Amino acid sequence: MSAETAVTEDEAFELLAHLVASAELCIREPYYYGTFRLIDAASKLMGFMLSNGADTEHEWLAAFKEEVDTKKEWMMWDREGYFAFLQGATGSVAGELKRRAAASI
Amino acid sequence: MESSSTSLASLTAEQRADIVLDVIRTRRVVRRYTDEPVADDQIHRVLEAGRWATTGGNRRIHRFLVIRDPKTIRLMKMISPGMLGAPSAIVLICLDHTAIDAEQTREEHSSGLVDVGTQAMNMMVAAHALGLGSCPVTSFSQSGMSTLLDLPRTATPLLMVLLGHPAPHTRVMRRGARTRLTVEDLTYWEHYGHTS
């Protein structure tokens, strides 16, 4: 997967529609639904990235997407676990950012 | 349908209750579906269940719009953040302002929203009885939906009932996650706060 092929135009429009509709829904829905919409958008983005690249090159991305897809649904029946997951999720992304930065030096 | 009606009528009230309660108890929201289309006769039976739902004052101010075209469903999903799966069919329950005028009622009457819930619940129970999965969705853009589906100004989209054949899925639970609420957790007797 190269930077140019991470997301196609159709996929970008799909993500755009999701984000704009989510922004509208945030006006009337419980506040924590907004967190769900964002992490769901992250999942969609990862799905697009994985479908446009070789999975073998993106073990971390595939594993993180699987974790997101499993734990995002906890919002509906295990909010404590869901919030704990969100609080640790950025750490996972930061670790991958750090690894990528080190690799590009 | 004649034969199943006849056989059901031959059961005792207790036996009928067991069947109905089992369908109610075992229904779950389904968010993962196979690509298999839902047969039209199954959709009709689901719609019939919705038609038999109670409505406030027997007002019939809603209309059902059935969508089966995969391309349209895909577009609907894009503006419906609450729609997590890819269903084969959707029943969109709309408030019909022409019917509201004909009924000489008021749009803001809250029982109209309750009616949407009873219709959707009847449909989902029927879907489960038919072996289908279903999911209610209100998290969509009403303006986006009206544009996508060319809805007239007299129709307000309120709730989608997603229909499809359930895909195999095992729900992963966190250890220590809260268990299900019981009837006792939800019920007081005679006075609010009295649990027995």
Side-chain angles (χ1 to χ4, degrees), chain B residues 30-180:
Chain B
V30 173
R31 296 189 176 86
R32 291 170 177 82
Y33 308 95
T34 68
D35 295 335
E36 184 183 350
V38 177
D40 279 356
D41 67 307
Q42 290 182 308
I43 295 175
H44 277 287
R45 297 189 77 179
V46 168
L47 293 169
E48 190 182 4
R51 177 259 175 271
W52 282 105
T54 57
T55 57
N58 198 30
R59 294 177 311 146
R60 299 292 169 174
I61 57 175
H62 303 95
R63 294 294 179 267
F64 308 142
L65 175 59
V66 179
I67 306 292
R68 294 164 297 178
D69 177 48
K71 284 183 183 172
T72 306
I73 289 175
R74 187 163 180 274
L75 290 174
M76 291 169 75
K77 182 176 164 68
M78 289 184 196
I79 53 144
S80 305
M83 185 171 156
L84 300 185
S88 301
I90 296 174
V91 179
L92 178 64
I93 304 177
C94 298
L95 192 63
D96 188 285
H97 297 269
T98 307
I100 289 173
D101 290 343
E103 294 272 2
Q104 296 183 315
T105 185
R106 283 165 49 188
E107 178 185 347
E108 63 269 28
H109 199 292
S110 62
S111 73
L113 292 177
V114 174
D115 296 344
V116 174
T118 60
Q119 290 163 350
M121 194 67 227
N122 266 20
M123 288 186 199
M124 291 189 292
V125 169
H128 178 53
L130 290 163
L132 299 172
S134 67
C135 178
V137 176
T138 58
S139 294
F140 59 84
S141 166
Q142 288 183 326
S143 65
M145 198 62 73
S146 297
T147 301
L148 266 185
L149 301 177
D150 294 319
L151 298 181
R153 285 179 177 276
T154 51
T156 302
L158 293 178
L159 186 147
M160 293 190 284
V161 177
L162 313 186
L163 297 171
H165 293 273
H169 171 62
T170 305
R171 183 179 282 184
V172 179
M173 302 288 283
R174 181 177 62 98
R175 183 175 294 178
R178 196 175 63 177
T179 54
R180 288 184 195 287

Side-chain angles (χ1 to χ4, degrees), chain A residues 2-68:
Chain A
S2 69
E4 290 75 25
T5 59
V7 181
T8 67
E9 189 169 289
D10 280 349
E11 290 164 345
F13 267 99
E14 186 172 336
L15 200 54
L16 172 71
H18 176 89
L19 290 170
V20 173
S22 295
E24 178 191 342
L25 293 174
C26 282
I27 297 171
R28 61 180 165 92
E29 293 191 328
Y31 80 94
Y32 52 84
Y33 276 35
T35 67
F36 181 86
R37 303 300 178 218
L38 286 171
I39 202 71
D40 195 32
S43 170
K44 286 179 190 295
L45 177 60
M46 288 188 283
F48 296 148
M49 292 165 73
L50 287 167
S51 69
N52 293 323
D55 289 358
T56 51
E57 293 176 16
H58 298 285
E59 283 178 22
W60 176 85
L61 198 62
F64 186 59
K65 176 172 167 44
E66 189 176 339
E67 183 182 10
V68 167

